């Protein structure tokens, strides 16, 4: 759902840029509370993983494909504020290096793919986890539903923006029906990827999943014939809970997905591209400002072998995203105000 330059006029694109900049500013402030010395590097990994999975377009209907948006996944894994920043980093890298998503439309893309998906998904996820049993299985199910709803919500948000600032005269009702319809199907794929990823991390390290904190029914003890909650166990020292294996495994998975599996992704246009072509939204599309990038269109310039070119581009993208993302989140973490004696506790990655 990467919006290219030329779909939305300049005033509305500028307004969306202001909204996106405000959301990033709020995210930077809120991420200070969400990140600690263990989760800061993991947030960079989440951004790189989302970059990799977004390269894996999957077929959803005749001649149409979809890909992960990632807002729900990021919010559940590392928190909503950090999640907005993760998507912003991914979109920035894609726009500058790979000519994917317009540069003047960057604010639109962050607003639609980052802010809307994160807010909708996390609000729904939290609502579900409050009414469902406090178990890991329920957390995974809530992640599935939240991710499923977040995708058509993003499609609706794009349609509203297009209704205000679209550059072509297209009946909005037809755009709305087509966008929401195809993105409901894409949302099923998004939900499956999100639930599988969240479930896999919860299975090995539930302490690293922001949305899973507090899950699991409390232990009960019988005292004088009545069941009461057992005292909470003291948390393990941060240093004893290294995230090195999780980080290495996640990075390896991202590299394999982007460097190898992406070659087998669907070549069909994604939901927005298909609707734009069918409805005439793309009549005034503009050439991307980074079209001359040596990595444009997810290939390495002058590498003639398609498999090798795409694989190298994917590996480079994952590497750059994890470095930039980790740097951003470490910087955010370093500005966190110490809170009490435990704030000086150190840990290992």
């Amino acid at each position: 759902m990467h919006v290219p330059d030329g779909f939305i006029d300049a005033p509305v694109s500028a307004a969306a840029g202001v909204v996106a900049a405000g959301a990033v500013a709020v995210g930077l402030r809120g991420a200070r509370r969400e990140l600690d010395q263990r989760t800061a590097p993991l947030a960079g990994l989440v951004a790189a993983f989302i970059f990799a999975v977004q390269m894996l377009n999957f077929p959803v209907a005749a001649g149409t494909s979809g890909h992960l948006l990632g807002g729900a996944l990021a919010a559940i894994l590392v928190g909503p504020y950090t999640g907005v920043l993760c998507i912003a980093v991914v979109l920035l890298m894609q726009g500058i290096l790979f000519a994917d998503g317009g540069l003047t439309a960057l604010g639109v893309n962050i607003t639609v793919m980052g802010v809307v998906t994160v807010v909708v998904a996390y609000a729904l996820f939290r609502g579900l986890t409050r009414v469902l049993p406090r178990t890991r299985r329920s957390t995974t199910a809530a992640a599935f539903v939240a991710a499923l709803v977040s995708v058509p919500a993003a499609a609706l948000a794009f349609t509203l923006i297009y209704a205000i600032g679209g550059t072509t005269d297209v009946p909005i009702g037809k755009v709305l029906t087509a966008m929401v319809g195809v993105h409901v199907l894409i949302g099923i794929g998004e939900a499956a990827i999100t639930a599988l990823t969240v479930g896999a991390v919860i299975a090995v390290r539930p302490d690293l999943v922001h949305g899973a904190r507090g899950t699991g029914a409390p232990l009960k003890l019988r005292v004088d014939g009545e069941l009461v909650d057992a005292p909470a166990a003291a948390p393990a020292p941060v240093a004893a809970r290294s995230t090195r294996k999780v980080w290495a495994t996640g990075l390896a998975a991202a590299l394999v997905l982007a460097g190898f599996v992406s070659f087998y992704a669907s070549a069909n246009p994604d939901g927005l591209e298909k609707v734009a072509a069918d409805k005439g939204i793309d009549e005034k599309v503009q050439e991307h400002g980074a079209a001359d990038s040596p990595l444009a269109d997810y290939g390495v310039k002058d590498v003639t072998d398609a498999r090798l070119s795409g694989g190298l581009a994917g590996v480079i993208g994952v590497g750059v995203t994890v470095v930039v993302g980790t740097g951003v989140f470490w910087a955010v973490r370093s500005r966190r105000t110490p809170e009490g004696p435990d704030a000086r506790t150190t840990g290992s990655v």
Side-chain angles (χ1 to χ4, degrees):
M1 196 189 289
H2 293 74
V3 180
D5 296 321
F7 276 25
I8 308 298
D9 63 27
V12 175
S13 294
V18 172
V19 172
V24 169
V26 172
L28 288 170
R29 179 177 293 274
R32 296 177 193 173
R33 299 190 298 271
E34 293 175 343
L35 296 171
D36 56 33
Q37 51 265 59
R38 296 178 304 156
T39 56
L42 288 176
L45 174 62
V46 168
F49 183 80
I50 289 173
F51 173 92
V53 180
Q54 283 195 0
M55 294 181 65
L56 309 180
N57 280 45
F58 48 86
V60 295
T64 309
S65 70
H67 63 73
L68 182 81
L69 299 187
L73 178 60
I76 294 167
L77 288 179
V78 292
Y81 296 102
T82 308
V84 170
L85 300 182
C86 283
I87 303 303
V89 168
V90 171
L91 291 171
L92 184 62
M93 295 300 99
Q94 290 171 332
I96 293 175
L97 297 179
F98 298 92
D100 189 12
L103 296 181
T104 62
L106 181 61
V108 174
N109 284 317
I110 291 176
T111 300
V112 171
M113 296 178 61
V115 180
V116 172
T117 58
V118 167
V119 171
V120 171
Y122 199 73
L124 181 55
F125 174 80
R126 274 304 179 202
L128 289 172
T129 54
R130 286 193 178 100
V131 299
L132 293 173
R134 295 170 58 194
T135 65
R136 297 175 185 177
R137 183 172 297 179
S138 295
T139 301
T140 303
F144 182 95
V145 175
L148 174 62
V149 175
S150 71
V151 177
L156 175 60
F158 166 78
T159 305
L160 292 175
I161 292 174
Y162 190 82
I164 300 171
T167 56
T168 57
D169 186 14
V170 179
I172 296 302
K174 292 183 179 180
V175 175
L176 176 62
T177 301
M179 282 293 294
V180 174
V182 72
H183 283 91
V184 167
L185 300 177
I186 294 173
I188 297 173
E190 175 105 10
I193 295 169
T194 300
L196 287 172
T197 305
V198 170
V201 179
I202 288 178
V204 294
R205 289 294 299 272
D207 59 303
L208 296 180
V209 179
H210 180 90
R213 294 172 184 173
T215 59
L219 180 64
K220 298 287 186 179
L221 296 178
R222 187 174 295 278
V223 178
D224 296 331
E226 296 183 1
L227 289 176
V228 298
D229 291 343
V238 172
R241 302 287 289 172
S242 172
T243 61
R244 186 177 291 112
K245 290 183 179 180
V246 174
W247 195 90
T249 301
L251 181 60
L255 290 171
V256 170
L257 291 173
F260 177 72
V261 180
S262 63
F263 181 78
Y264 300 97
S266 172
N268 292 330
D270 69 15
L272 176 58
E273 292 173 324
K274 179 65 172 175
V275 172
D278 289 346
K279 305 301 179 183
I281 294 176
D282 59 355
E283 289 180 1
K284 296 185 179 181
V285 67
Q286 300 173 4
E287 183 179 14
H288 199 285
D292 294 331
S293 167
L295 297 173
D297 297 323
Y298 297 94
V300 178
K301 188 177 181 180
D302 297 329
V303 177
T304 57
D305 183 274
R307 186 190 298 265
L308 179 60
S309 178
L312 285 175
V315 169
I316 293 171
V318 168
V320 172
T321 303
V322 76
V323 169
V324 172
T326 301
V328 168
F329 296 122
W330 266 120
V332 172
R333 163 60 191 163
S334 68
R335 294 176 61 85
R336 179 175 177 175
T337 302
E339 299 174 358
D342 293 337
R344 293 187 297 272
T345 305
T346 58
S348 59
V349 175

